[in-house]
């Protein structure tokens, strides 16, 4: 840089003096850059850094005033200038008030949006603007009232690899600006760009941290206020529980739950249901362990997410204990309705064997009394008749016993009593129960294929099959037993036990098929059905992980097929 760049220099000094001044200016600039970089790196404080740089720039270039600004943009992309340092602009009362107000905080952040001027040309084009006849430059625009005369202007942009970051503006250097000044100021531009990019990076980091904090706070507030019980757990241990979860388990506060193993609060065989995501399988039923040993059943969905910076699982549980109790009461009511429907027939089935049981016992009593009086032994013909009567009485008592056993199996309410069940035995019991409804309407045909045992509740299965058998019987009118049939079959296919019950009855209209399993829908006359039977059957089958289908043609009959999994699916309450 020539000596004329020194403030107050005339430009006529000897070459040695000019070189000495250039060396002095370079050293001075280098020291200033080192100081501001060190200060920024150590403290990450921007206030004063750009003021110090601007002071040095004005001193070394001899400029009258100037600024260091950051390029910014509005929401719709319009550029504007945000100052980081600026010389005193108190040229009017209004500007003087502005300067007095902003100066204490370093005059940082004042925005200039009118870009129809020389510095605006830098922001709009991203290119350097240098003019030593600013008053005649067509880009100058107008000057604010009270603004000093603008004789020369130098606007230097600085860029990152992808965008305009900011600019340095200097004005009124004696002798104007030239390429040497531009070259001299390049390290300043590099330093300003690095500091502003650092500030932006720091601002993004702080914003990300603030958003993460807000997100974490919102997440905690959301789950804390949720009416559903929420458990956050990792590697089998609880990390967080909301108030609803604390209430679900019967504890006083969440502190007594945290860091404890899940098995303390879930039935051991159900704990694995919380240990994996249920996104692909839907909600699962889980039995929780209440502090007071109350029965608590939850419908649980589990998803994986990041909690406190690490992977975790979040299980949301809806308390369905009350709903399940209502369902059980509804099922019990339907069982009682079915028993009421069958009561007369069952009474008849018991009365028949009971009648000949009593008759044969009376015969035996009379014969034995007579034989005792005559001294006749049991080896003769009368003794043989007594023995035959006793055999018939025994058979009748077995028949009564079987009917009572079937009634007990059907009426028993034992949701948690699971066992290995042969569906063929359950079907036989249901046939016995429904026999009074079947025998005068249709022939019964059985086609039992070999099937594996199911882990199931015999009472629930009985309720399903008895309902289907009674419906099949009621679909057939009295009077043509030999012309109608009810066909019951079992088979094993692809891990499923399939039970089919087919009748040759009146069939179901196509428009009713889609509503068949809806609560309270019935095709029976008023007073002959609740509309709950098939709905309850459908729900029972679904809770076992199975499904039910129906195929019907009006005038030809109906076939119901029940598909039950041999292996109990995960997520199904035991």
């Amino acid at each position: 840089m020539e000596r004329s760049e020194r403030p107050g220099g005339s430009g006529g000094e000897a070459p040695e003096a000019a070189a000495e001044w250039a060396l002095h200016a370079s050293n001075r600039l280098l020291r200033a850059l080192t100081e501001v970089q060190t200060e920024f790196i150590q403290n990450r404080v921007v206030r004063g850094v750009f003021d110090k740089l601007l002071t040095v720039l004005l001193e070394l270039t001899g400029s009258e005033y100037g600024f260091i600004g950051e390029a910014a943009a509005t929401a719709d992309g319009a550029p504007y200038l945000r100052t980081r340092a600026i010389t005193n602009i108190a040229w009017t009362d209004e500007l003087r008030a502005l300067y007095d107000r902003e100066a204490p905080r370093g005059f940082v952040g004042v925005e200039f949006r009118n870009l129809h001027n020389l510095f605006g040309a830098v922001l709009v084009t991203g290119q350097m603007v240098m003019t030593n006849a600013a008053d005649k430059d067509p880009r100058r625009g107008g000057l604010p009232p009270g603004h000093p005369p603008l004789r020369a202007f130098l606007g230097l942009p600085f860029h990152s690899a992808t965008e305009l970051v900011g600019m340095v503006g200097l004005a009124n250097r004696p002798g104007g600006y030239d390429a040497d000044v531009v070259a001299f100021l390049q390290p300043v531009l590099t330093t300003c760009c690095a500091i502003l990019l650092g500030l932006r990076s720091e601002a993004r980091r702080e914003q990300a941290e603030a958003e993460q904090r807000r997100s974490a706070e919102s997440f905690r507030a959301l789950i804390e206020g949720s009416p559903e019980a929420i458990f956050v757990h990792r590697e089998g241990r609880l990390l967080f529980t909301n108030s609803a979860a604390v209430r679900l388990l019967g504890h006083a506060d969440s502190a007594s739950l945290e860091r404890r193993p899940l098995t303390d609060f879930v039935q051991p065989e159900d704990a694995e249901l919380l240990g994996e995501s249920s996104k692909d399988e839907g909600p699962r039923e889980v039995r929780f362990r209440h502090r007071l040993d109350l029965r608590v059943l939850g419908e649980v969905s589990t998803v994986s997410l990041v909690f406190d910076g690490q992977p975790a699982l979040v299980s949301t549980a809806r308390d369905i204990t009350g709903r399940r109790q209502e369902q059980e009461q509804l099922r019990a009511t339907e069982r009682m309705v079915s028993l009421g429907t069958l009561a007369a027939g069952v009474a008849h089935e018991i009365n028949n064997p009971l009648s000949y049981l009593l008759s044969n016992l009376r015969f035996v009593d009379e014969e034995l009394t007579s034989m005792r009086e005559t001294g006749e032994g049991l080896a003769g013909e009368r003794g043989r008749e007594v023995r035959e009567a006793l055999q018939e009485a025994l058979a009748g008592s077995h028949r009564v016993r079987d009917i009572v056993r079937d009634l007990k199996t059907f009426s028993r309410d034992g949701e948690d009593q699971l066992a290995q069940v042969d569906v063929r035995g359950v079907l036989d019991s249901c046939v016995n129960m429904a026999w009074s409804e079947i025998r005068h309407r249709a022939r019964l045909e059985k086609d039992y294929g070999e099937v594996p045992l199911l882990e199931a509740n015999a009472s629930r299965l009985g309720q399903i099959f008895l309902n289907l058998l009674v419906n099949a019987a009621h679909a057939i009118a009295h009077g043509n037993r030999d012309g109608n049939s009810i066909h019951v079959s079992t088979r094993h296919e692809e891990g499923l036990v399939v039970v089919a019950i087919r009748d040759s009855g009146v069939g179901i209209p196509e428009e009713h098929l889609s509503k068949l399993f809806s609560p309270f829908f019935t095709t029976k006359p008023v007073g002959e059905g609740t509309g709950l039977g098939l709905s309850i059957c459908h729900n029972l089958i679904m809770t076992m992980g199975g499904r039910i289908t129906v195929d019907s043609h009006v005038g030809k009959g109906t076939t119901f097929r029940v598909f039950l999994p041999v292996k109990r699916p995960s997520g199904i309450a035991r």
Side-chain angles (χ1 to χ4, degrees):
M1 180 181 295
E2 297 179 0
R3 183 175 174 78
S4 61
E5 294 169 359
R6 175 171 59 86
S10 63
E13 292 92 343
E16 294 80 2
E20 181 181 351
W21 169 250
L23 180 60
H24 163 75
S26 296
N27 290 336
R28 176 75 177 89
L29 182 61
L30 180 60
R31 284 198 307 273
L33 294 176
T34 302
E35 289 174 3
V36 297
Q37 289 173 351
T38 300
E39 182 178 344
F40 179 71
I41 292 172
Q42 290 179 345
N43 302 320
R44 309 298 288 181
V45 176
V46 68
R47 181 174 177 178
V49 169
F50 287 107
D51 282 334
K52 184 179 293 186
L53 273 178
L54 182 58
T55 299
V56 173
L57 289 180
L58 295 175
E59 173 191 335
L60 297 181
T61 63
S63 298
E64 185 176 345
Y65 52 89
F67 64 86
I68 299 175
E70 180 179 7
T74 62
D76 57 3
Y80 65 90
L81 181 73
R82 180 187 296 120
T83 62
R84 289 292 180 173
I86 191 170
T87 51
N88 192 336
I89 58 172
W91 307 310
T92 64
D93 292 341
E94 181 181 1
L95 289 174
R96 188 174 298 109
L98 173 65
Y99 189 83
D100 291 342
R101 184 174 68 251
E102 299 293 339
R105 65 185 187 94
F107 218 87
V108 174
V110 177
E111 298 174 358
F112 294 93
R113 296 177 181 260
N114 178 13
L115 303 184
H116 299 294
N117 45 48
L118 293 172
F119 77 80
V122 178
L123 287 180
V124 172
T125 65
Q127 303 296 319
M128 176 186 73
V129 171
M130 182 171 63
T131 176
N132 293 319
D135 56 339
K136 300 178 181 178
D137 194 298
R139 298 168 294 183
R140 72 186 185 281
L143 294 177
H147 194 290
L150 184 62
R151 297 181 295 274
F153 176 79
L154 176 63
L156 298 174
F158 45 87
H159 300 78
S160 68
T162 58
E163 63 180 342
L164 175 66
V165 177
M167 66 172 291
V168 172
L170 299 172
N172 293 352
R173 175 177 181 265
Y177 300 96
D178 55 29
D180 289 340
V181 176
V182 174
F184 177 71
L185 295 179
Q186 287 306 309
V188 177
L189 303 181
T190 302
T191 299
C192 290
C193 186
I195 292 176
L196 283 178
L197 289 177
L199 288 173
R200 290 182 178 180
S201 176
E202 182 73 10
R204 286 193 295 267
R205 183 188 64 79
E206 292 176 353
Q207 181 180 3
E209 290 178 351
E211 290 177 354
Q212 186 176 10
R213 286 193 300 272
R214 285 195 299 270
S215 177
E217 291 168 358
S218 298
F219 174 72
R220 285 181 178 271
L222 176 65
I223 61 179
E224 184 60 36
S226 172
E228 311 288 2
I230 297 180
F231 305 84
V232 182
H233 50 99
R234 182 185 299 123
E235 297 178 353
R237 289 190 174 273
L238 283 176
L239 303 177
F240 175 85
T241 52
N242 68 347
S243 299
V246 173
R247 292 193 298 272
L248 182 75
L249 299 176
H251 286 256
D253 53 62
S254 60
S256 61
L257 308 179
E258 293 175 4
R259 311 310 303 177
R260 290 175 60 181
L262 283 175
T263 51
D264 285 356
F265 311 107
V266 179
Q267 295 294 341
E269 56 268 35
D270 291 354
E272 63 181 18
L273 300 178
L274 271 69
E276 55 187 20
S277 174
S278 60
K279 185 169 81 170
D280 298 330
E281 300 179 12
R284 302 158 170 171
E285 291 187 1
V286 174
R287 293 172 300 162
F288 289 93
R289 302 175 67 177
H290 192 276
R291 186 175 62 87
L292 301 179
D293 291 331
L294 301 178
R295 177 190 175 211
V296 177
L297 184 65
E299 190 175 67
V300 178
S301 297
T302 299
V303 297
S304 56
L305 49 70
V306 175
F307 182 80
D308 285 345
Q310 296 184 48
L313 293 172
V314 175
S315 297
T316 303
R318 175 174 297 173
D319 188 352
I320 60 171
T321 308
R323 187 176 77 188
R324 179 52 54 84
Q325 291 172 346
E326 292 172 357
Q327 291 173 344
E328 291 171 4
Q329 292 171 357
L330 192 61
R331 286 197 292 266
T333 300
E334 175 62 20
R335 279 200 299 271
M336 294 303 102
V337 170
S338 298
L339 287 175
T341 302
L342 299 172
V346 170
H348 181 73
E349 290 299 311
I350 292 177
N351 188 59
N352 280 344
L354 190 59
S355 295
Y356 65 76
L357 170 64
L358 293 173
S359 176
N360 285 346
L361 288 176
R362 278 194 299 269
F363 170 77
V364 168
D365 179 60
E366 292 171 357
E367 287 297 299
L368 288 177
T369 300
S370 175
M371 290 171 68
R372 184 181 67 238
E373 291 174 351
T374 61
E376 186 177 350
L378 294 174
E381 179 65 21
R382 294 181 71 181
R384 183 185 60 79
E385 291 178 354
V386 166
R387 289 194 298 272
E388 288 179 356
L390 286 173
Q391 289 293 330
E392 290 178 359
L394 183 62
S397 66
H398 286 168
R399 175 61 179 156
V400 172
R401 180 200 62 188
D402 291 343
I403 293 173
V404 172
R405 179 198 61 200
D406 294 338
L407 280 170
K408 287 175 64 178
T409 298
F410 178 69
S411 61
R412 185 182 299 119
D413 184 14
E415 178 191 357
D416 295 326
Q417 297 178 3
L418 300 181
Q420 296 296 312
V421 179
D422 187 338
V423 295
R424 295 170 295 187
V426 176
L427 284 168
D428 285 339
S429 293
C430 292
V431 167
N432 291 337
M433 292 282 295
W435 185 241
S436 62
E437 299 292 324
I438 296 173
R439 62 181 179 178
H440 297 300
R441 303 171 187 257
R443 294 172 287 105
L444 181 70
E445 301 172 350
K446 295 181 182 180
D447 179 17
Y448 290 171
E450 289 296 322
V451 293
L453 299 179
L454 296 177
E455 184 186 16
N457 179 279
S459 176
R460 287 184 174 184
L461 289 176
Q463 185 169 1
I464 294 168
F465 298 141
L466 181 60
N467 193 289
L468 295 178
L469 284 167
V470 171
N471 283 351
H474 288 176
I476 301 172
H478 284 274
N480 187 18
R481 178 182 182 279
D482 292 337
N484 290 291
S485 65
I486 294 176
H487 186 271
V488 182
S489 66
T490 64
R491 70 178 190 274
H492 178 212
E493 60 176 37
E494 299 180 355
L496 296 171
V497 170
V498 183
V499 176
I501 298 176
R502 184 179 74 241
D503 66 68
S504 58
V506 296
I508 302 170
E510 184 177 356
E511 63 269 20
H512 291 167
L513 291 177
S514 63
K515 299 179 287 185
L516 209 56
F517 301 112
S518 301
F520 306 108
F521 176 80
T522 180
T523 58
K524 296 179 180 179
V526 175
E528 294 187 16
T530 63
L532 293 174
L534 286 177
S535 173
I536 290 176
C537 287
H538 179 265
N539 290 337
L540 286 173
I541 293 167
M542 294 295 289
T543 60
M544 297 178 192
R547 69 181 192 277
I548 182 172
T549 64
V550 58
D551 181 27
S552 185
H553 300 280
V554 174
K556 296 183 178 180
T558 301
T559 301
F560 283 91
R561 292 181 178 85
V562 178
F563 300 80
L564 297 171
V566 174
K567 184 178 181 182
R568 196 173 186 85
S570 62
I572 301 298
R574 294 178 61 85

